[in-house]
Amino acid sequence: MRSSHNPGPTNDQEAQQEEFLGALEALGGSAGNGRLRELLTWEEASYEAVKASLLASGQVRTGRGRGGSVSLAAGAGDEGADGHQGAVGSVAVAGGSAREAGASVAEAGGGQGAAFAAPLKASAHAAAGPAPLGPQPTGKQNLSAFLWSVADLLRGDYKQSDYGKVILPFTVLRRLDCVLEPSKQAVLAEKELREGQGLDPEPFLLRVAGQGFCNTLADDQLSDQKYDYMLSNPPFGVEWKKIQKEVQREADTLGFAGRFGPGLPRVSDGSLLFLLHLISKMRPALEGGSRFGIVLNGSPLFTGGAGSGESEIRRYVLESDLVEAIIGLPTDMFYNTGISTYIWILSNRKPAERKGKVQLIDASSFWQKMRKSLGSKRKELSPEHIAEITRLFGNFEEAENDGKPISRIFRTDDFGYHTITVERPLRDEAGNVLLGQRGKAKGQPQADSSLRDTENVPLSEDVQVYFEREVLPHVGDAWIDHEKTKVGYEIPFNRHFYVFTPPRPLDVIDAELKQVTDRILEMIGGLSG
């Protein structure tokens, strides 16, 4: 147990002292000043003030080393069997603090803390017996850094970019262990029974466990389930070649009665397959309907021309009037990638004012810098940013910020277009048009494939009017091959928020260049003089 000898510290000072001591315990009871201050994310003045108060009360002591160090004083923390803090003592302290940290994460993150807390508790008791609960960092901003330090003690000094390879599998295994705990004894008994009978136990074990384990896209174990609300953050740009046969079979045999009737994207990116999967889980509108949000990268917005699988999926969701809004997020929001990402909000119960319309919200400027980066994640949304995005969505109106649009509303068919094929005649060396000799093309000009071109015409515009205005004035012998016309859909998100900034006047640029040139000549003159 610790006692403070400082005369009458304030509540804020006590909290800072406890946070300091908790972080020091998490680092094994001793740490360099630089490492500890980095973990606490404090300014140097605050760090030195708290350290001085703890030195004065005898709760910590200073040490040697480059940049100086600090450690828990004797009696301020758990000790090893030999009377000083060694490896065993450090693990026991980490176990006590991490149990608190695990509880905090379980409250805030829906149980992930249990995956850390249980193995920590076991490690602490096995090494040094029950350890008293020690203080932990109290600042919300510092909790994340505190957990990284716990991970350091558990798994060694891995780079943050490698944590996903270690901590995530342990977290998944712990989650599976919790889910299967109620049926564990029955499964073990069933396994022993079926193996004793010389049978393959796997089919029996799955039945006894009452859980379905599958690849979401290849084998839907919840095909008959419908939901009111859904959230999904599928992997970005992951190929689905390994399950292509199963997905293609479902698309061919079930069509729109299955999940993939609208189309299949290219095998290199399965993002839109997850979108179709969620659509299949929507409760019918007559039964109350559904709404879901899914985070995707930029590719599903525009990849694939008219007639492609991606375009046909976009066509389906837009012509079915399922898309409520698409929200563009800042870059550097995810641990493993810094690319731009977008939240798609889909619903089959749109209110009357939203029917036939789609709202685009550009929230790419809504961010604050994190105190400490986590891999590629350097930015985060503050509560104020989230509230503003929610307000823009709820108000369902166009809006600007500093003269730049941040919310725009379109009709669903604004994203559609006809791709028309423009042909020109094949000519001989004398310049004469060559005519077809047989079939439907007999007597008609032959098309020169080397001069063939395509044009995208908005659905809202008449194709012939567009052709006469945009094409014929430049190539008077051209015509449209209507049999090749296709309908496509794309959502050019960034184009709709682009604001042209005119360049500065040339005389202003010339004046600045002259100033720089004169300065360079003056410096050269000084060297030669």
Side-chain angles (χ1 to χ4, degrees), residues 204-359:
F204 302 97
L205 301 185
L206 291 174
R207 178 179 55 80
V208 174
Q211 301 290 337
F213 298 93
C214 63
N215 180 293
T216 299
L217 300 178
D219 182 19
D220 184 9
Q221 293 284 321
L222 303 173
S223 58
D224 58 340
Q225 297 295 312
K226 305 296 180 182
Y227 301 94
D228 301 314
Y229 298 96
M230 294 172 281
L231 294 173
S232 179
N233 181 16
F236 300 143
V238 173
E239 72 168 33
W240 49 284
K241 186 175 183 179
K242 292 182 179 180
I243 58 171
Q244 184 176 8
K245 185 183 296 183
E246 292 83 356
V247 172
Q248 187 70 55
R249 183 188 303 118
E250 179 177 337
D252 293 340
T253 57
L254 297 181
F256 281 88
R259 295 174 291 171
F260 309 123
L264 297 176
R266 64 194 65 193
V267 75
S268 60
D269 187 354
S271 297
L272 286 172
L273 293 178
F274 289 97
L275 179 74
L276 292 175
H277 174 74
L278 291 184
I279 290 174
S280 73
K281 302 300 180 187
M282 298 179 79
R283 191 178 303 283
L286 294 177
E287 298 177 14
S290 296
R291 172 182 283 160
F292 71 79
I294 181 171
V295 183
L296 300 174
N297 61 359
S299 177
L301 292 169
F302 53 80
T303 299
S308 67
E310 293 90 347
S311 178
E312 288 299 293
I313 294 171
R314 289 190 293 268
R315 179 180 182 179
Y316 173 75
V317 297
L318 288 167
E319 290 186 351
S320 300
D321 199 16
L322 293 175
V323 183
E324 279 193 292
I326 299 176
I327 303 160
L329 297 176
T331 58
D332 303 322
M333 286 290 290
F334 288 89
Y335 179 78
N336 289 323
T337 179
I339 63 175
S340 298
T341 50
Y342 303 82
I343 301 175
W344 293 50
I345 307 296
L346 277 72
S347 176
N348 59 359
R349 59 178 187 199
K350 281 187 176 182
E353 65 272 15
R354 285 186 178 267
K355 291 187 179 298
K357 298 179 180 179
V358 176
Q359 183 181 16

Side-chain angles (χ1 to χ4, degrees), residues 423-437:
E423 301 283 15
R424 295 181 63 188
L426 181 66
R427 299 177 183 270
D428 59 21
E429 293 181 358
N432 299 316
V433 176
L434 299 179
L435 302 179
Q437 301 299 316

